[in-house]
Amino acid sequence: AQTVTQSQPEMSVQEAETVTLSCTYDTSESDYYLFWYKQPPSRQMILVIRQEAYKQQNATENRFSVNFQKAAKSFSLKISDSQLGDAAMYFCAILNPQGAQKLVFGQGTRLTINP
Amino acid sequence: ETGVTQSPTHLIKTRGQQVTLRCSSQSGHNTVSWYQQALGQGPQFIFQYYREEENGRGNFPPRFSGLQFPNYSSELNVNALELDDSALYLCASSLLGGGRNTDTQYFGPGTRLTVL
């Protein structure tokens, strides 16, 4: 079974500063994908970033980057130059591409941006 | 490119009733996954449909059932509703079999179901 743990229920950051959200996971699979999704108050789950386990290079998408530590089973999300629109629930998730391709989510971290 | 859509947006039912939720997949996608998200929790996988066949199921009772149609849209049916079924129901579409980087799941806006 795969599990995802987000140990920070809430985080806050000043606008324009940098914040890091933590995520650890457990899996017995060698091939898997990791994701960060953002869920604003509108409820729609929006993909932020994706990382494939076989890739050593950390994924980046504009102001969003990850620190993927495979041996430690850690997958943190760094948001640079935080903007008011970044305020949302952030969910870390893992997917095994073999068999039933289900996403297993963590409990989420609520990010508040202070102006 | 059309995104994932879901209907209805909100729904109120009473205990024991049946409900059908609908999802239209993103253009070019062949797979729909359904998730239940209770208040304050992360989404939980219900099941997935690939080319009209169930491709995996989470830990949900048989009263949760689904369908996928030839155009890859999908329905989630819940019979004998219970109070604990109150949640946000999310569907996500993806493209399986298209190689790496095609199987990312993209979500619809969700249906909020309230069971009284």
Side-chain angles (χ1 to χ4, degrees):
Chain A
Q2 298 175 309
T3 60
V4 175
T5 302
Q6 294 179 248
S7 59
Q8 306 154 314
E10 297 185 358
M11 292 282 285
S12 64
V13 65
Q14 291 296 125
E15 191 176 4
E17 293 190 346
T18 296
V19 63
T20 298
L21 308 184
S22 301
C23 172
T24 58
Y25 62 93
D26 193 23
T27 181
S28 57
E29 305 294 333
S30 59
D31 188 18
Y32 53 91
Y33 308 152
L34 294 162
F35 302 86
W36 279 96
Y37 282 91
K38 163 186 174 181
Q39 188 176 41
S42 65
R43 308 177 322 200
Q44 183 153 8
M45 199 75 75
I46 300 166
L47 176 68
V48 175
I49 203 164
R50 163 193 169 119
Q51 174 82 43
E52 295 182 52
Y54 73 91
K55 290 186 177 178
Q56 294 186 341
Q57 186 173 8
N58 289 325
T60 62
E61 287 289 340
N62 301 313
R63 298 182 295 107
F64 299 88
S65 62
V66 298
N67 183 4
F68 174 44
Q69 301 289 327
K70 190 172 183 178
K73 295 183 177 177
S74 170
F75 183 61
S76 61
L77 175 70
K78 185 172 83 170
I79 307 174
S80 304
D81 185 25
S82 297
Q83 300 176 359
L84 295 177
D86 295 334
M89 283 291 290
Y90 284 80
F91 291 95
C92 178
I94 188 170
L95 182 146
N96 174 2
Q98 308 304 320
Q101 296 208 0
K102 65 175 184 179
L103 283 164
V104 175
F105 287 87
Q107 293 291 88
T109 297
R110 180 173 303 281
L111 178 64
T112 302
I113 312 295
N114 300 313
Chain B
E1 187 176 87
T2 307
V4 181
T5 61
Q6 292 186 244
S7 63
T9 305
H10 297 90
L11 205 49
I12 299 175
K13 292 286 188 178
T14 56
R15 195 169 47 181
Q17 285 189 313
Q18 178 266 342
V19 69
T20 297
L21 309 182
R22 295 178 176 84
C23 173
S24 291
S25 60
Q26 184 169 310
S27 175
H29 286 182
N30 58 14
T31 302
V32 172
S33 305
W34 286 92
Y35 295 83
Q36 180 194 66
Q37 186 179 19
L39 198 60
Q41 304 291 318
Q44 299 289 317
F45 177 75
I46 303 174
F47 44 56
Q48 181 179 87
Y49 278 84
Y50 169 58
R51 293 186 174 179
E52 304 178 59
E53 298 285 333
E54 188 178 285
N55 188 45
R57 188 179 183 92
N59 190 25
F60 281 81
R63 59 189 185 84
F64 286 78
S65 63
L67 281 174
Q68 188 180 32
F69 300 100
N71 67 354
Y72 303 124
S73 65
S74 177
E75 287 183 353
L76 164 65
N77 299 288
V78 187
N79 294 322
L81 283 167
E82 300 177 0
L83 297 179
D84 285 348
D85 296 333
S86 294
L88 179 67
Y89 288 84
L90 296 165
C91 85
S93 76
S94 56
L95 174 63
L96 294 193
R100 287 192 178 271
N101 298 320
T102 65
D103 47 8
T104 295
Q105 295 184 18
Y106 294 91
F107 285 81
T111 294
R112 171 74 66 191
L113 173 64
T114 302
V115 182
L116 302 176

